Amino acid sequence: RKSTDGSVIMHTTGTVSGIHKPIPMSDKALNSFVISAMDAKRLYADLKNAPEKMISFLGMNMSWVYAMVDMLHTSLAFGMELVCIPFGVTNPRYAEAIEDCGINILFTSLAFLDTWNKTMPDIDLSKVKIVFMGGTYVSPEAKKQFNDYLRSCGSPARIINGYGLSEMCGACIIAPSDRTDDAIGYPLPGFKVKIYSEDEKKFYDLSDGQHTGVLYLSSPTMSSGRLDDTVFFELEKVDGEEYFNTHDL
């Protein structure tokens, strides 16, 4: 088999449709995401000052792309220490583990955020330096509320919002922590973006200026959508290259 062939089948988190759709991923896609993340760490101000000894925890189902690729595979490639908490963020003592284990990098989701917004555990988060938020849309109001909570617990971290897709190995676009609006941010290194204007029936690059339309993405991290003779989803050819249609405006 080739490095571009599907080597593992993971699943979406189901946050959009409620269905955990299968996603075949190749070795090349998984490792390309690590390379993109390493380049991002050198380029993005929010990531340049990451702790020398990075400690995170596994808080989600490992069959989900966000958990397997972003939280586990990439974290290990960075040499992070990972804490395994049974049942992840559904464990009633997960907040204690964050404090007791000295976790300084958090990968979060809206479900995680909702839990904290309801319970607001009174813990020392002064060691938490970076907080990634992905999985689904988070409003500026919710982001501010959680940032205020982090500050009240002694953490200097502010949420780094991410837009991602399981079909692309997770995070694709991240917004700087100082953004307080609905912007989804800047593409990670290696990601190509096109905007399709349904009115004009035309594709635009980001360099073409501001346009409204459907978001198309391409990168070496992209799933082929196929495993042997089984087709899970189709990619689209745009200017001779394969792109994934996100169906998002």
Side-chain angles (χ1 to χ4, degrees), residues 37-158:
M38 289 180 170
D39 288 340
K41 186 175 182 295
R42 291 191 290 268
L43 296 173
Y44 291 86
D46 283 321
L47 308 180
K48 287 181 179 179
N49 297 320
E52 185 174 346
K53 181 181 180 181
M54 296 181 282
I55 306 174
S56 189
F57 81 105
L58 303 178
M60 296 184 181
N61 189 320
M62 284 297 103
S63 73
W64 298 346
V65 174
Y66 181 33
M68 177 62 77
V69 181
D70 298 48
M71 293 182 180
L72 179 63
H73 183 63
T74 304
S75 295
L76 290 176
F78 272 90
M80 282 192 204
E81 180 179 321
L82 291 174
V83 177
C84 297
I85 304 173
F87 307 109
V89 296
T90 62
N91 187 317
R93 302 191 67 179
Y94 75 91
E96 295 176 31
I98 292 174
E99 182 178 9
D100 294 343
C101 297
I103 289 169
N104 51 34
I105 294 181
L106 289 177
F107 291 90
T108 61
S109 67
L110 184 60
F112 185 100
L113 174 65
D114 284 342
T115 300
W116 277 33
N117 278 344
K118 292 172 183 175
T119 61
M120 291 299 185
D122 183 17
I123 57 177
D124 178 10
L125 297 179
S126 58
K127 293 181 180 179
V128 176
K129 307 300 182 185
I130 296 177
V131 178
F132 294 103
M133 177 68 70
T136 190
Y137 170 73
V138 180
S139 71
E141 293 76 21
K143 183 176 177 180
K144 180 182 183 303
Q145 183 179 5
F146 194 53
N147 279 336
D148 289 344
Y149 170 69
L150 289 171
R151 188 180 295 109
S152 73
C153 291
S155 172
R158 299 295 174 265

Side-chain angles (χ1 to χ4, degrees), residues 11-23 64-66 135-136 166:
H11 296 84
T12 64
T13 57
T15 52
V16 176
S17 65
I19 299 173
H20 300 291
K21 296 178 291 184
I23 305 290
W64 298 346
V65 174
Y66 181 33
T136 190
S166 297

Side-chain angles (χ1 to χ4, degrees), residues 150-228:
L150 289 171
R151 188 180 295 109
S152 73
C153 291
S155 172
R158 299 295 174 265
I159 290 176
I160 301 172
N161 246 21
Y163 172 89
L165 297 161
S166 297
E167 294 85 353
M168 306 296 292
C169 259
C172 310
I173 301 170
I174 59 174
S177 62
D178 58 0
R179 293 298 297 248
T180 58
D181 54 14
D182 278 317
I184 61 175
Y186 302 95
L188 287 172
F191 282 80
K192 297 180 180 180
V193 177
K194 287 188 181 291
I195 304 297
Y196 179 68
S197 170
E198 296 178 300
D199 293 334
E200 301 176 66
K201 308 297 182 186
K202 180 179 179 181
F203 284 95
Y204 288 97
D205 294 317
L206 294 182
S207 59
D208 294 324
Q210 183 173 325
H211 291 277
T212 299
V214 181
L215 178 66
Y216 278 68
L217 295 170
S218 180
S219 86
T221 70
M222 184 168 60
S223 168
S224 67
R226 299 169 179 266
L227 184 67
D228 298 327

